[in-house]
Amino acid sequence: MNRRKAIPGSTSATGRARVPRVSREAQRERNTQAILEGAWVTFCEKGYEGVTLDAVAEYAGVSRMPVYWLFGDKQSLFFELWKKVIAEVLQQMGQRMRASASLRSNLEALAKFATDTRTQPESPHAESLFFVVQTVALSRPDIAEKLRKISNDTVETFTGFIRTSTLAEGERLRGSAASVAAHLIAHINGLSTVQFQTHRQFVKAKDLTEIFVAIALKGAGP
């Protein structure tokens, strides 16, 4: 009896379609994304303290092993999730600010983004996640170091927007681009803290634009 050998990637000797083999790298990436998505949902639903890695694994549809293998522990998983969210926020912000546009218009775009309720987390636990990472870093020097790097990178990102923005006649920065960037970030962080603690938004985009302009510029009228 003649037996036909199956052609890889097509059909087996029994005539059944062969399932393409997934590379280890693709499998790792798929598991990573599934776990991070599962972590976001479970952390938002239950808060940091109410989540276990088993619960994340169950929601992500994977066993416990990929979670421990890829992230190690709950604190590290939480930090990676926080880092992912921050990167997405910076990307959204960058889409609203334009290189070579006036600094005033970019500050206005930043103020609108910071006060846009559509960019705010809907879950009652979601906002708290941005503050938990600071507590986690207190007991984890490795995470604290990574957090410092992200903070420095964020300042550099803001600094880049300021440096590539144009100034109107008579306008000058109140300090170096990096110093202005740091002050803007500090104000946004402070505003976020107040909003988180009170569950209220006190500042409108127009008012925040004026504050940003006062922080960044001197030598020109409002």
Side-chain angles (χ1 to χ4, degrees), residues 43-79:
F43 278 125
C44 285
E45 287 182 348
K46 301 178 180 180
Y48 180 79
E49 296 298 335
V51 172
T52 64
L53 292 186
D54 285 347
V56 173
E58 181 178 359
Y59 191 94
V62 300
S63 67
R64 297 174 58 187
M65 289 309 299
V67 181
Y68 286 98
W69 180 57
L70 290 169
F71 297 98
D73 54 44
K74 178 178 170 179
Q75 291 180 328
S76 296
L77 170 60
F78 179 81
F79 174 78

Side-chain angles (χ1 to χ4, degrees), residues 97-156:
M97 302 175 74
R98 298 287 181 266
S100 301
S102 71
L103 181 56
R104 282 178 179 265
S105 65
N106 275 337
L107 292 175
E108 180 181 6
L110 179 61
K112 288 181 178 178
F113 178 80
T115 55
D116 188 348
T117 56
R118 292 171 298 178
T119 65
Q120 308 301 320
E122 297 180 359
S123 164
H125 290 293
E127 288 186 349
S128 67
L129 301 183
F130 294 95
F131 299 93
V132 170
V133 71
Q134 304 288 342
T135 303
V136 170
L138 291 176
S139 61
R140 289 285 299 272
D142 57 325
I143 291 179
E145 182 59 33
K146 293 177 182 177
L147 187 59
R148 278 192 291 272
K149 183 179 185 307
I150 291 176
S151 298
N152 289 333
D153 290 345
T154 302
V155 172
E156 289 184 9

Side-chain angles (χ1 to χ4, degrees), residues 15-213:
R16 295 179 180 176
R18 294 176 62 89
V19 178
R21 181 173 296 176
V22 179
S23 68
R24 289 185 178 180
E25 186 61 31
Q27 183 67 40
R28 177 189 178 94
E29 178 63 22
R30 187 164 62 185
N31 283 342
T32 298
Q33 293 306 314
I35 292 167
L36 287 174
E37 289 172 8
W40 173 254
V41 173
T42 51
F43 278 125
C44 285
E45 287 182 348
K46 301 178 180 180
Y48 180 79
E49 296 298 335
V51 172
T52 64
L53 292 186
D54 285 347
V56 173
E58 181 178 359
Y59 191 94
V62 300
S63 67
R64 297 174 58 187
M65 289 309 299
V67 181
Y68 286 98
W69 180 57
L70 290 169
F71 297 98
D73 54 44
K74 178 178 170 179
Q75 291 180 328
S76 296
L77 170 60
F78 179 81
F79 174 78
E80 291 301 322
L81 174 63
W82 178 86
K83 183 172 72 172
K84 179 176 183 292
V85 173
I86 290 298
E88 291 172 353
V89 169
L90 289 175
Q91 182 181 31
Q92 292 175 30
M93 182 195 73
Q95 292 171 350
R96 300 196 180 196
M97 302 175 74
R98 298 287 181 266
S100 301
S102 71
L103 181 56
R104 282 178 179 265
S105 65
N106 275 337
L107 292 175
E108 180 181 6
L110 179 61
K112 288 181 178 178
F113 178 80
T115 55
D116 188 348
T117 56
R118 292 171 298 178
T119 65
Q120 308 301 320
E122 297 180 359
S123 164
H125 290 293
E127 288 186 349
S128 67
L129 301 183
F130 294 95
F131 299 93
V132 170
V133 71
Q134 304 288 342
T135 303
V136 170
L138 291 176
S139 61
R140 289 285 299 272
D142 57 325
I143 291 179
E145 182 59 33
K146 293 177 182 177
L147 187 59
R148 278 192 291 272
K149 183 179 185 307
I150 291 176
S151 298
N152 289 333
D153 290 345
T154 302
V155 172
E156 289 184 9
T157 298
F158 271 70
T159 301
F161 285 127
I162 294 170
R163 284 176 175 163
T164 57
S165 300
T166 59
L167 300 178
E169 184 177 356
E171 289 182 340
R172 291 182 298 163
L173 292 179
R174 286 196 174 275
S176 67
S179 175
V180 170
H183 280 82
L184 289 172
I185 293 170
H187 192 86
I188 293 172
N189 287 341
L191 181 63
S192 297
T193 301
V194 171
Q195 290 178 177
F196 164 66
Q197 293 175 337
T198 63
H199 301 288
R200 295 175 61 188
Q201 186 164 322
F202 294 94
V203 182
K204 296 181 179 180
K206 180 177 180 297
D207 300 323
L208 192 57
T209 299
E210 294 179 0
I211 293 173
F212 286 170
V213 169

Side-chain angles (χ1 to χ4, degrees), residues 1-6 13:
M1 180 182 296
N2 293 329
R3 295 180 181 272
R4 291 189 306 167
K5 293 184 177 180

